Amino acid sequence: MIAYLLRRAAWGALVVWLVATLVFVVYFAVPRDVARLIAGRQASEETLAVVRARLGLDQPLIVQYGRYLGRLTKGDLGESFITQEPVTTIIARDIPVTASLAIGGAALWLLLGISAGVVAAARPRSRIDRAITAVALFFYSMPSFLVGQLLLFFLFFQFYLAGIELFPPGSYVPLSEDPLQWMRFLILPWLTIALVTGAIYARLTRGAMLEALGEDYIRTARAKGLSERRVILRHALRSSLSPVVTQFGIDIGSLLGGAIVTEVVFGLPGLGREVVQAILKQDLPVIIGVTILSSALVVGANLLVDLLHAALDPRVRV
Amino acid sequence: MSMTATDSEHVLLDVRDLNVSFDSPDGVVEAVRNVSFKLDQGRTLGIVGESGSGKSVSTQSIVGLVQGARISGQARFDGRDLLMLAQPELRAIRGPGIAMIFQNPMSCLHPLYPVGWQIMEMIRAHQSVSRSQARLRAIELLGQVGIPRPDVRVDDYPHQYSGGMLQRAMIAMAIALNPRVLIADEPTTALDVTVQAQILRLLRHIQEQFGTAIIMITHDLGVVSEIADDVMVMYAGRAMEQASREALLRRPRHPYTQGLLRSRPQADSLGRALTSIPGQPPSLIAGARGCPFQPRCTQAISRCATDMPPLAVLAADGNDPHRSACWLTQAEDAP
Ligand SMILES: Nc1ncnc2c1ncn2[C@@H]1O[C@H](COP(=O)(O)OP(=O)(O)OP(=O)(O)O)[C@@H](O)[C@H]1O
Ligand SMILES: [Mg+2]
């Protein structure tokens, strides 16, 4: 198991390195005048030369690449072309917002999705099962920005018109400052993420539960005289968690994508909004920094998922 | 299986006219039809029949383990009709009243919980004992059924046990609450022959020790001859023949039972394979006429195709009732 995890960690490092190389190739190796990008259109040749020298752009590509990797391993992501701020500072400022959004959203989607799936599977083909399946299909087939807009329209705008500011967008209060306000500003973005992805989990959980409920060991659990509640929650749900965790590992990547869209829709000052602005302004260090960071996060999260798998299934723990 | 009134206080489980049917796309599946049997304290009833004959459904339905079925009839246990009980009352009976052992031990334990935990869970569902007391009891039970080093193996997961050990663990679980009835549904089918013999010995030992009444479901007459006191032979959801073991083995009356006995390997009393009666397994869809065994029966007469013979007591066997559902045997015994 330890060897397996080490191997996975090595693979993860390789993936991050590949991503770093890829962004380097895309942004620096292709013919594009980065110096002009920074100095502006009217800059004289001398200015450009100075900028090139300062950024090392006059060096051969391989040297640039070596320096780039060298800085990366020291955790130095460079400075923003626009604000000259270190990218790490920008990330450190933005990441609490994105982390709050992503972790809260994921927690809510797991909670909503799994419980909806369990309730549906407990009474297959009943009215509640059909209702849950229909609602899940509805959200499943909607793009998340649309869900966000709908939530804003019904839960913010309608109340706003009536003079109540219930869940205003565009603000963020750190958790450490005021947990209630933190939740208030994040609840709609969380729902946006949770409803769309949670729908997948409702369907997934329902299917896994129905399969588990047909297993022989469920009959044994019933024959032991356990309550139906216990049969469902302790026995059937327990077996259904493994496929859910597998799916979760797959979805962690798209969680960051979803967070970007959601931050833009709700005007949250997070990494997603930062990177969108950076792309518009061609602020390469910021784009690269965020890209590498998110690949590292996804790799790390998948490692966690592996650990979770081992914790869930004794047959994996060898 | 005696019907006399004096015996009735020893009758632990009295099932009468049990009918179980399922709705299916092809029509109503009549899995169990008019089955009646009795089980006395400390005795073993063997239910024999080939795959699909309704052995499992007829026993599982009386404790409410069959879902999506229409069930009618009576199943008196402890003065109450199990078929009339609500789920909570039935749950209280499952375990301490009637416990079950199933056919495939590999799939009957939850793969994600330790074996001991699963036994403790059963104990704690019915008795208010502490976790550590339940654990001690689980270790004791595992030792009783012959698991080596039970204090260590109690924490193992099912995949760390062999098939025979799993079946022993299932038995340990089933006897955890000293049940009055133990329903063993083909407990040895998935196991190899030597382990089969050990498991049967274990069950007999438990019966001697605790006076447990056992229903032994099997498609193997060898198992019946080892352990059963009384036998019910089932075919297509019906009881074809009911008798004491001696009577049944000495003089089987129903052509189906005769076929079963003939197809049984003689040398090996635990042999399997009863499939050598030629012909197709019967359809259980409602509406068929006549005796379900008639298409495969070498002795069938014209009446067999149109009328189902009742399960009648054969006069010849005196006060140990031997019943058979066959026009021929009934004609033989007619005065
Ligand atoms: N839930 C169900 N829905 C529909 N039909 C069922 C259901 N459960 C059992 N049956 C049918 O009832 C019949 C009897 O099944 P049962 O499991 O009692 O047979 P069995 O004698 O125990 O066979 P085996 O030796 O294979 O265990 C079979 O034809 C089976 O297909
Ligand atoms: Mg069966």
Side-chain angles (χ1 to χ4, degrees), chain A residues 265-297:
Chain A
V265 169
F266 287 91
L268 288 172
L271 275 182
R273 213 179 55 163
E274 196 78 56
V275 85
V276 168
Q277 279 163 9
I279 289 171
L280 292 177
K281 294 178 188 156
Q282 291 283 304
D283 194 349
L284 295 187
V286 176
I287 303 176
I288 293 172
V290 174
T291 308
I292 293 174
L293 174 75
S294 32
S295 72
L297 284 179

Side-chain angles (χ1 to χ4, degrees), chain B residues 4-296:
Chain B
T4 50
T6 47
D7 274 355
S8 67
E9 55 221 61
H10 302 294
V11 176
L12 207 49
L13 182 63
D14 185 357
V15 175
R16 284 191 200 176
D17 297 322
L18 182 68
N19 281 277
V20 185
S21 57
F22 301 93
D23 288 326
S24 87
D26 305 326
V28 176
V29 175
E30 295 188 320
V32 176
R33 285 183 273 195
N34 281 321
V35 165
S36 305
F37 58 85
K38 288 184 179 189
L39 182 65
D40 292 346
Q41 213 159 358
R43 304 262 288 178
T44 300
L45 166 67
I47 303 183
V48 199
E50 58 188 31
S51 194
S53 55
K55 307 181 297 291
S56 299
V57 170
S58 58
T59 45
Q60 287 174 19
S61 58
I62 61 184
V63 284
L65 287 178
V66 173
Q67 296 191 320
R70 268 194 305 277
I71 304 173
S72 70
Q74 258 191 25
R76 298 200 75 77
F77 174 76
D78 217 8
R80 290 188 290 179
D81 183 358
L82 298 179
L83 300 184
M84 303 297 283
L85 293 185
Q87 277 296 328
E89 297 170 285
L90 214 45
R91 270 203 299 275
I93 290 177
R94 286 186 214 139
I98 302 177
M100 297 219 147
I101 306 167
F102 296 105
Q103 173 167 353
N104 195 339
M106 330 284 181
S107 59
C108 284
L109 285 169
H110 199 299
L112 303 179
Y113 290 111
V115 172
W117 185 93
Q118 301 189 48
I119 298 175
M120 288 161 62
E121 185 188 33
M122 167 135 179
I123 297 170
R124 280 161 62 85
H126 297 278
Q127 298 175 347
S128 49
V129 295
S130 72
R131 193 175 290 273
S132 55
Q133 280 172 304
R135 190 183 148 85
L136 285 178
R137 176 90 178 110
I139 293 172
E140 181 191 327
L141 285 161
L142 287 175
Q144 231 169 55
V145 297
I147 301 285
R149 303 211 303 144
D151 51 326
V152 179
R153 301 310 292 255
V154 68
D155 294 319
D156 278 2
Y157 287 87
H159 72 273
Q160 294 165 294
Y161 275 39
S162 70
M165 284 170 71
L166 280 177
Q167 194 57 290
R168 286 167 189 273
M170 277 297 292
I171 294 173
M173 187 188 286
I175 63 171
L177 301 164
N178 265 326
R180 295 207 274 158
V181 176
L182 190 59
I183 300 179
D185 193 342
E186 308 198 37
T188 57
T189 309
L191 307 172
D192 66 51
V193 180
T194 47
V195 184
Q196 279 185 31
Q198 291 168 3
I199 297 286
L200 289 187
R201 223 174 296 136
L202 174 62
L203 287 173
R204 224 177 2 228
H205 178 70
I206 287 165
Q207 182 167 52
E208 280 159 16
Q209 209 175 347
F210 303 105
T212 319
I214 296 179
I215 296 182
M216 171 63 72
I217 297 176
T218 176
H219 53 240
D220 186 342
L221 277 171
V223 171
V224 163
S225 67
E226 292 267 316
I227 198 171
D229 299 303
D230 302 296
V231 187
M232 170 164 80
V233 178
M234 286 187 76
Y235 187 80
R238 295 182 186 272
M240 292 307 215
E241 183 158 9
Q242 281 177 310
S244 68
R245 172 187 56 182
E246 290 77 22
L248 190 101
L249 294 178
R250 185 171 16 96
R251 193 178 169 207
R253 305 299 301 273
H254 197 285
Y256 176 61
T257 316
Q258 292 166 359
L260 281 184
L261 275 168
R262 259 198 310 275
S263 63
R264 184 179 147 219
Q266 288 301 306
D268 169 16
S269 67
L270 281 168
R272 333 155 150 241
L274 295 173
T275 45
S276 48
I277 300 175
Q280 292 293 310
S283 159
L284 298 176
I285 304 293
R289 295 198 309 159
C291 170
F293 187 57
Q294 174 266 334
R296 293 165 79 182

Side-chain angles (χ1 to χ4, degrees), chain A:
Chain A
M1 187 68 210
I2 303 279
Y4 169 76
L5 281 178
L6 284 177
R7 211 160 53 235
R8 286 298 306 245
W11 272 109
L14 189 71
V15 166
V16 174
W17 170 71
L18 274 176
V19 168
T21 306
L22 216 64
V23 268
F24 178 81
V25 169
V26 168
Y27 286 110
F28 288 98
V30 294
R32 164 202 323 245
D33 198 340
V34 177
R36 188 169 286 286
L37 208 63
I38 297 166
R41 225 173 267 286
Q42 288 89 24
S44 64
E45 269 309 312
E46 293 82 66
T47 323
L48 288 181
V50 171
V51 171
R52 283 202 189 97
R54 185 164 64 84
L55 294 177
L57 293 173
D58 49 353
Q59 304 287 320
L61 262 186
I62 188 73
V63 176
Q64 288 187 44
Y65 179 64
R67 285 190 189 164
Y68 164 80
L69 283 188
R71 272 185 294 137
L72 272 190
T73 51
K74 278 182 258 149
D76 177 4
L77 295 172
E79 287 158 13
S80 159
F81 289 167
I82 314 288
T83 62
Q84 319 301 326
E85 251 182 314
V87 172
T88 42
T89 311
I90 296 175
I91 287 177
R93 187 179 59 224
D94 291 346
I95 207 156
V97 181
T98 307
S100 300
L101 179 61
I103 295 173
L108 195 61
W109 101 38
L110 287 175
L111 188 74
L112 288 180
I114 293 175
S115 37
V118 169
V119 169
R123 292 176 201 285
R125 314 198 150 272
S126 66
R127 219 171 277 172
I128 181 124
D129 178 27
R130 281 168 216 270
I132 286 173
T133 307
V135 171
L137 190 67
F138 175 74
F139 284 114
Y140 181 61
S141 44
M142 275 222 282
S144 55
F145 72 86
L146 187 59
V147 174
Q149 300 282 10
L150 286 177
L151 286 175
L152 274 179
F153 182 75
F154 287 110
L155 292 180
F156 164 67
F157 197 62
Q158 295 298 327
F159 284 94
Y160 184 72
L161 288 183
I164 309 165
E165 255 197 284
L166 202 53
F167 302 117
S171 317
Y172 176 78
V173 172
L175 174 62
S176 50
E177 246 169 59
D178 185 345
L180 269 182
Q181 289 293 4
W182 174 76
M183 270 181 65
R184 178 177 168 217
F185 292 128
L186 279 170
I187 194 98
L188 292 189
W190 281 342
L191 276 175
T192 304
I193 291 180
L195 287 178
V196 175
T197 323
I200 302 175
Y201 283 72
R203 284 159 42 129
L204 180 78
T205 309
R206 178 182 181 275
M209 284 290 290
L210 286 181
E211 199 188 315
L213 283 169
E215 295 284 351
D216 286 346
Y217 53 77
I218 296 296
R219 190 186 51 198
T220 308
R222 293 202 173 109
K224 281 156 77 172
L226 305 181
S227 70
E228 193 59 20
R229 187 190 163 81
R230 194 173 170 94
V231 170
I232 286 177
L233 294 182
R234 289 304 285 269
H235 289 253
L237 179 57
R238 182 69 178 72
S239 316
S240 310
L241 287 181
S242 285
V244 169
V245 166
T246 305
Q247 180 67 32
F248 189 64
I250 296 169
D251 284 339
I252 287 174
S254 53
L255 174 60
L256 283 169
I260 291 181
V261 173
T262 312
E263 279 175 16
V264 173
V265 169
F266 287 91
L268 288 172
L271 275 182
R273 213 179 55 163
E274 196 78 56
V275 85
V276 168
Q277 279 163 9
I279 289 171
L280 292 177
K281 294 178 188 156
Q282 291 283 304
D283 194 349
L284 295 187
V286 176
I287 303 176
I288 293 172
V290 174
T291 308
I292 293 174
L293 174 75
S294 32
S295 72
L297 284 179
V298 170
V299 162
N302 271 298
L303 220 57
L304 269 181
V305 164
D306 277 353
L307 280 175
L308 202 58
H309 254 303
L312 278 177
D313 194 337
R315 289 163 300 185
V316 177
R317 264 177 256 156
V318 191

